[in-house]
Every structure is written in C-alpha cells, then in structure tokens.
Amino acid sequence: MVIKIVTDVDLNEAYQYLQAPGAGGIDLFVGTVRDHAKGKKVVKLVFEAYAPMALKEMQKIAEAAQQQWPLEKLVMLHAVGEKLVGEPVVIIGVASAHRDAAFSACRFLIDELKKTVPIWKKEFYEDNSVWVNAHP
Amino acid sequence: MEILLFGITREIVGGSTLTVEPEQPLETVGQLKNWLADRYPAIKKLSSLAIAVDSEYADDAHPLAPGQEVALIPPVSGG
C-alpha cells in the first residue's frame, strides 16, 4: 500500500500504482476544494497535519480495510498547504478483483479518514476564515 | 513539558508549541486537559479536544511521563 502526506496529490501516481493483474476494478475517490460552504463563497483552503500521527492513523484505517475486503492495492494520499478552488486535496484508491469490494473499501477509507486522522482545514471566505469542525 | 499544537489550538495559544509548567505535577492526560482549560477558556468552546501521547490517541487516564511527545488534537477536518 502507499500512504503519503504531500504538497500536491497526483492522480496519475495513484492510478499507476493501483494497476494489478488480479484487479477487475479500480476505484478512485478524489476530494477537491469546493467554492462554497454554509452559504458562503470559499476562496481557498489551508490544510495542516500532524504528519507522523496522521500517517499512523491512515495506516490503521488501511489495515482495517484490508481485513474487511480482498484488496490487491490501496493508496491514500492527502495534501497539506494552500489549495485553491477545484484543486485535489485527497485521493483514495483501491484495486480489487470485483467492484463491490472496491466501492465499499473506497467509501470506508475516506469516511474513516475524516473521523480520526489528525489533519485540519481552514476555510477562507472573502471576509474571514474558520477552522472547519472546531466549534459546535 | 512541551506540547505540540495544531489548527485552532495553535491560534488560541499563539504558537506551535506550549511549555507547560504546572505548580502541581500533571500525572494524567485528564489533568493536562483541565490545566489547559483553566488557562485557555477558548479551548472549552471547541467541539472536542483529544490528546495524543507518542502519536497515539490517549484517554484521560493515560499517564504522563518525561520524554513523551504530547500533542493537542482539536476536532479533525481532513479530506
């Protein structure tokens, strides 16, 4: 498996890695910067990670997915730093013999990443900025 | 003890690390949380606050000891 925190996530790198003779399906999820949030226009996002712990937590999630589904390959890439509208910030990919496992594992990996991995995003609007999820 | 700060906790405290010098030694993660909440009221307003010891989530009963890497983990928002 490939698990990385990088300045720029690379879809080609992920897809190249996921090629496997035994795979009949490759699922890729790409999370991108959306231009709006809670009715406000978003200008950019800034991501920050506690990298050593984030990599450990991503590894745990990846291992849990491998226990649950038969996966040939697995990739998790997350960006840090400033990202503009439309830019990719996270790539999750799996290769499996059949599509059911690939879809399910891909969904599980991104959902769990959002719950436990110590990465933070600050949303910048035209007039102010907030750390997402920080307050109830 | 020096602790690592990220995201909103870095802004609340005003730096990427905080030197914790308590009058009474802090023996557990829970005691550290209380110490922080007393000094930084803004921390109490967060949706949640976790603490990592040696880059693993640690519960309130987890003991603190010299040489550990301790970090504040405010609500995560990756992806």
Side-chain angles (χ1 to χ4, degrees):
Chain A
M1 66 178 83
V2 169
I3 295 176
K4 290 203 274 193
I5 291 173
V6 291
T7 308
D8 294 297
V9 293
D10 183 346
L11 191 57
N12 288 327
E13 177 194 354
Y15 183 56
Q16 286 299 317
Y17 171 73
L18 290 168
Q19 316 277 329
I26 291 175
D27 255 52
L28 276 158
F29 171 80
V30 182
T32 55
V33 181
R34 185 180 54 229
D35 69 357
H36 65 281
K38 299 186 181 93
K40 297 190 80 168
K41 186 178 173 197
V42 172
V43 180
K44 66 176 182 181
L45 300 180
V46 173
F47 286 87
E48 179 175 323
Y50 177 17
M53 181 175 174
L55 292 168
K56 271 164 93 171
E57 290 296 319
M58 287 158 84
Q59 181 84 25
K60 285 181 200 169
I61 295 167
E63 285 168 9
Q66 285 179 322
Q67 299 264 315
Q68 234 174 308
W69 295 282
L71 305 177
E72 298 277 332
K73 295 278 182 81
L74 185 160
V75 59
M76 301 177 89
L77 308 175
H78 203 298
V80 287
E82 186 176 295
K83 296 292 153 196
L84 304 177
V85 171
E87 288 187 316
V89 298
V90 59
I91 295 176
I92 304 290
V94 293
S96 186
H98 302 287
R99 70 182 181 282
D100 277 354
F103 277 121
S104 300
C106 199
R107 174 92 202 213
F108 170 85
L109 289 165
I110 184 63
D111 286 352
E112 293 301 308
L113 178 146
K114 283 174 168 279
K115 288 181 206 163
T116 61
V117 176
I119 297 176
W120 300 271
K121 67 171 156 257
K122 195 172 195 185
E123 254 169 11
F124 286 78
Y125 316 112
E126 287 169 311
D127 54 349
N128 67 337
S129 61
V130 298
W131 287 101
V132 176
N133 294 348
H135 294 107
Chain B
M1 175 175 45
E2 193 167 79
I3 57 179
L4 305 177
L5 306 170
F6 299 94
I8 194 164
T9 54
R10 183 169 47 72
E11 291 186 359
I12 289 170
V13 171
S16 57
T17 61
L18 171 67
T19 303
V20 174
E21 288 169 327
E23 289 162 19
Q24 303 283 324
L26 299 171
E27 291 172 354
T28 65
V29 162
Q31 289 175 12
L32 172 60
K33 279 188 188 174
N34 290 337
W35 188 91
L36 289 162
D38 286 347
R39 273 151 196 84
Y40 300 96
I43 283 180
K44 285 187 260 190
K45 296 188 179 139
L46 300 177
S47 306
S48 65
L49 180 70
I51 288 185
V53 176
D54 293 332
S55 64
E56 296 280 351
Y57 284 106
D59 61 24
D60 284 358
H62 194 96
L64 295 175
Q68 290 168 333
E69 181 171 286
V70 178
L72 297 195
I73 312 290
V76 300
S77 52

